[in-house]
Amino acid sequence: MTTVIGVDVGGTFTDLVLHDAATGEIRVAKRPTTPAAPERGVLAAVDAAVPPDLLARCRHFVHGTTVGLNALLERRGATVGLITTAGFRDVLEIRRGDRDDPYDLFWTPPPPLVPRRLRLEVTERVAADGSVVQTLEPEDVRRAAEVFAAEGVDAVAIVLVNSYANAAHETRVAELLARAGFTGPVSLSHEVSGEYREYERTCTTVVDAFVRHRMGPYLHDLDRELRARGFAGDLLVTRSGGGALTLAEAAARPFETILSGPVAGAAATARLAATLGIGTAVAADVGGTSFDTALVEDGRLPLLYQGEVVGLPLQSPWVDVRSVGAGGGSVAYADAGGLLRVGPRSAGADPGPACYGRGGTEPTVTDAALHLGMIPRGHISGGIELSEDAAARALAPLAGPTGIDGVDAVAVGVIRIAAAHMAQAVRGVTVERGVDPRGAAVVAFGGAGPVFGCLLADELDVDTVVVPPNAGNFSAVGLVQADVVRSAARTLVRPLDDAALPVVGRLAETLFERLAQPEAVREVDLDLRHRGQEHTLTIPVRLEDDDLAAVSARFSEAYHRAFGHTLPDPLEVVTVRATSRIVLDDARPLVPAPPPAEQEAGRGTTRLWSFRQEAFAEAPVVRREDLRGVAEGPLLVVEPTATTYVDAGFAVEAHESGSLMITRKERR
């Protein structure tokens, strides 16, 4: 039994959850994020909720971070040099033949992270089967090292053609680069990816080198500060594909952590859905900056093996989480045509919404929710005192240019538009996958997720909304529940026939040896396709049990589910994927944390807007731990880190798991 801390850094708030498996104790904290130095917000949350003696007993500190993502968004990372095979210098600019937005005549691709003068070629060539066509010329590497030294290059990405099939030349280039005096970090493509597709592999390796410059120092500084406070356990960082990496692995493979924050909430949703027996669930994470959503079917997350950030592809396991700029801090404004708009720009943590009283003057979703009574008046987590007058002052100027009559109507419009943006994102992970969202349950979490649960239910025609325990910090709950996961992949293009599975098994064993987790649970997946096709479907296989017929049948079933038909064409293997997983702890902190001692015993009633009744009502405010039986809306359910808004036509009751179950009683 262990004590685990999970800390998730969001755009506005930094959330902490502590679970002591020995005693069952749960602690939560929410503190404003400090964008200029994220570790300060993390440490503030630790200092607020974890005394030194408890921190000293903590075995794992699991961290979800946006440092790597922010480095890409802001393009503030290392000065990267690229060494590649002669003739492939411009892969980063040639990209692919498609356009990210086919309807935008003025669309231009994002500039490459490495300028052309720092993309240098070396003479060498390896064929797709791993045979050496042309030997490496060492003098080319020495000349590249001289250029990098003169240009002040911090990190180098080495990407040679077909190195996934034979890495000898890449390894040799790294050795020659070090011998020539380069002392900075080096990213080797065969270690980063191990898959074919030269543009994607090159971009992924460059991203790894680019963000390492910020990620490594940040993690080591955080680790040092935690140990100064008495922490003696392991610092882990969540992966974009779920699970967690050790500190050393995260610093060495930072590209795997680009989306580590949003994934934790989706993983917690999958765990909760399995616990509650919910077949199809939609994660609805509303934070201060964004709305993040993912589809969960049968307790499984949708896992992709290539993602994209700001137009840059990454070959890495990737939970399919969609994000839109519709959070509590999203700014409302009137466009040039006088239409009311919301987001994607956010007031963020500094200065934050106008009602925070920290210098913000622009109207936000939080200001609208406060004006309508959807969040309780007074103090919120993090020691912030809300100002209704400041919220009204920020919203009032929108009435004139939009032609909307009064502040109340402006606030209603802001909330409805934000909910519509969220619902559209949900359709992107459901309808686009052939899943009808009406049959799903919405799991609403994040600081503002439970505020929008009923609104999303009406937008999507969903009958059930689940508000999990510790809803405001639920992404941090996902961190506490994370397993230690390592993965590796290797391209292996060959027909899927009777001789293929033994070859696949030997390659998978090689990959597991590289992952070096002999005590872990092993999982193998194959990227398969019909011969002659370009794209693949990823199919789980059990090499010790499956034969050719079983694998083929599983592919046909997945193909029919994805495309509505099957083909008689023969199959071929494209990539072998190996994943090893170590479960840290089986205890699941599903009960809500106790309320703080200073929380008021009762809240009485409040003036609350009902979107269904289109009027204000005097509605009860109930503490979550005091909720008994079935309560019908409109009402508010309050807890330390979140507020649940229950509209008219919905009813809420506490489930034995600690979740709130909101069900539709009347259709609109």
Side-chain angles (χ1 to χ4, degrees):
M1 305 293 271
T2 60
T3 299
V4 183
I5 295 173
V7 177
D8 173 54
V9 179
T12 304
F13 285 101
T14 294
D15 300 335
L16 177 146
V17 168
L18 177 146
H19 179 233
D20 189 338
T23 64
E25 180 183 12
I26 302 290
R27 294 187 179 215
V28 300
K30 186 181 284 284
R31 288 294 182 270
T33 294
T34 50
E39 67 277 6
R40 293 210 309 265
V42 173
L43 295 170
V46 171
D47 293 341
V50 189
D53 61 324
L54 190 53
L55 183 62
R57 298 203 309 270
C58 177
R59 181 175 175 184
H60 301 293
F61 188 103
V62 190
H63 184 31
T65 175
T66 57
V67 170
L69 176 61
N70 290 340
L72 283 180
L73 294 175
E74 301 166 4
R75 290 200 166 233
R76 294 175 55 194
T79 299
V80 178
L82 171 64
I83 293 179
T84 190
T85 303
F88 289 81
R89 182 182 189 184
D90 296 318
V91 160
L92 290 178
E93 289 189 273
I94 295 172
R95 295 167 53 96
R96 293 290 175 190
D98 56 347
R99 300 162 62 88
D100 285 5
D101 186 350
Y103 301 106
D104 183 358
L105 298 179
F106 302 100
W107 177 85
T108 56
L113 291 174
V114 185
R116 196 169 194 272
R117 71 179 189 280
L118 298 181
R119 304 197 299 262
L120 304 180
E121 299 175 334
V122 294
T123 301
E124 70 87 38
R125 191 61 183 259
V126 171
D129 63 1
S131 61
V132 176
V133 177
Q134 188 169 16
T135 58
L136 174 68
E137 176 51 61
E139 186 59 31
D140 292 345
V141 181
R142 285 191 283 270
R143 281 196 294 266
E146 292 174 359
V147 173
F148 293 157
E151 293 281 355
V153 165
D154 301 311
V156 172
I158 301 174
V159 188
L160 303 183
V161 172
N162 296 322
S163 59
Y164 62 88
N166 183 345
H169 283 180
E170 276 196 356
T171 303
R172 179 62 174 156
V173 169
E175 294 172 353
L176 292 170
L177 197 62
R179 192 175 300 173
F182 184 77
T183 58
V186 174
S187 296
L188 302 176
S189 75
H190 73 275
E191 294 180 348
V192 168
S193 172
E195 299 182 49
Y196 77 155
R197 302 187 189 279
E198 297 307 320
Y199 166 56
E200 287 80 1
R201 184 158 52 90
T202 302
C203 190
T204 304
T205 309
V206 167
V207 167
D208 182 73
F210 184 79
V211 301
R212 190 180 300 195
H213 186 67
R214 291 185 64 180
M215 192 70 171
Y218 165 74
L219 291 175
H220 287 295
D221 288 348
L222 178 60
D223 186 62
R224 184 183 64 251
E225 291 292 335
L226 288 172
R227 297 195 186 284
R229 286 165 166 77
F231 174 65
D234 297 324
L235 175 60
L236 305 175
V237 182
T238 48
R239 306 164 68 244
S240 300
L245 298 166
T246 65
L247 170 65
E249 290 168 338
R253 297 174 62 83
F255 73 97
E256 287 200 45
T257 69
I258 297 298
L259 280 189
S260 78
V263 167
T269 298
R271 188 91 66 177
L272 179 63
T275 300
L276 298 177
I278 296 173
T280 305
V282 172
D285 179 4
V286 188
T289 303
S290 65
F291 170 74
D292 303 319
T293 185
L295 174 67
V296 175
E297 293 185 283
D298 299 323
R300 292 174 60 90
L301 287 171
L303 191 61
L304 307 177
Y305 292 94
Q306 180 174 302
E308 185 176 287
V309 175
V310 293
L312 303 174
L314 293 178
Q315 285 182 325
S316 175
W318 192 283
V319 174
D320 187 13
V321 178
R322 307 286 179 90
S323 300
V324 294
S330 295
V331 174
Y333 64 97
D335 68 11
L339 295 177
L340 182 62
R341 304 281 190 179
V342 178
R345 191 167 61 85
S346 173
D350 186 15
C355 63
Y356 282 10
R358 302 173 66 182
T361 58
E362 294 182 291
T364 68
V365 171
T366 298
D367 295 308
L370 177 64
H371 184 79
L372 298 176
M374 299 173 72
I375 54 179
R377 298 160 177 90
H379 289 83
I380 62 171
S381 296
I384 297 173
E385 183 171 359
L386 302 179
S387 169
E388 296 177 71
D389 291 340
R393 285 195 302 271
L395 293 165
L398 291 176
T402 60
I404 297 175
D405 185 17
V407 175
D408 293 350
V410 168
V412 169
V414 169
I415 297 297
R416 285 197 180 280
I417 292 170
H421 287 328
M422 297 174 193
Q424 189 61 26
V426 171
R427 294 185 187 101
V429 298
T430 54
V431 176
E432 290 182 9
R433 290 178 169 271
V435 176
D436 188 343
R438 292 175 295 183
V442 171
V443 180
F445 59 96
V451 170
F452 280 90
C454 289
L455 287 158
L456 279 172
D458 275 339
E459 288 279 349
L460 299 166
D461 201 18
V462 167
D463 290 331
T464 304
V465 177
V466 181
V467 179
N470 310 300
N473 292 40
F474 197 55
S475 287
V477 170
L479 299 177
V480 169
Q481 297 172 336
D483 304 327
V484 175
V485 176
R486 294 177 182 170
S487 65
R490 182 71 54 79
T491 292
L492 175 72
V493 181
R494 60 160 298 149
L496 181 65
D497 51 26
D498 289 327
L501 291 183
V503 176
V504 166
R506 289 192 293 272
L507 178 53
E509 189 61 37
T510 299
L511 294 176
F512 283 124
E513 289 175 1
R514 172 183 162 189
L515 296 177
Q517 289 190 140
E519 71 279 22
V521 176
R522 293 181 169 191
E523 302 166 3
V524 178
D525 297 273
L526 298 181
D527 287 2
L528 301 176
R529 67 187 178 193
H530 287 293
R531 193 174 302 168
Q533 292 184 331
E534 164 68 8
H535 299 290
T536 63
L537 292 176
T538 303
I539 307 299
V541 297
R542 298 180 296 273
L543 293 175
E544 65 279 6
D545 300 323
D546 287 341
D547 56 15
L548 179 61
V551 176
S552 299
R554 200 170 298 138
F555 174 84
S556 295
E557 180 184 349
Y559 196 92
H560 186 272
R561 187 169 60 248
F563 304 111
H565 65 274
T566 57
L567 297 174
D569 302 338
L571 303 181
E572 65 181 4
V573 180
V574 176
T575 301
V576 179
R577 303 187 182 279
T579 302
S580 63
R581 181 184 308 274
I582 297 176
V583 178
L584 295 182
D585 195 286
D586 286 330
R588 305 301 174 196
L590 294 178
V591 298
E598 66 272 15
Q599 182 168 304
E600 299 173 24
R603 295 293 184 123
T605 62
T606 189
R607 183 172 179 265
L608 178 64
W609 178 266
S610 169
F611 285 85
R612 287 187 153 210
Q613 297 173 341
E614 297 185 343
F616 280 102
E618 196 66 24
V621 179
V622 183
R623 294 196 310 174
R624 182 165 183 157
E625 66 271 18
D626 294 337
L627 186 64
R628 300 289 185 274
V630 178
E632 296 190 358
L635 79 155
L636 291 184
V637 181
V638 297
E639 58 184 295
T641 61
T643 299
T644 300
Y645 168 78
V646 183
D647 202 355
F650 290 88
V652 60
E653 63 179 324
H655 188 268
E656 61 183 6
S657 68
S659 299
L660 299 181
M661 309 298 291
I662 302 174
T663 54
R664 182 196 301 275
K665 297 301 181 183
E666 301 174 7
R667 294 201 170 271
R668 297 180 67 177

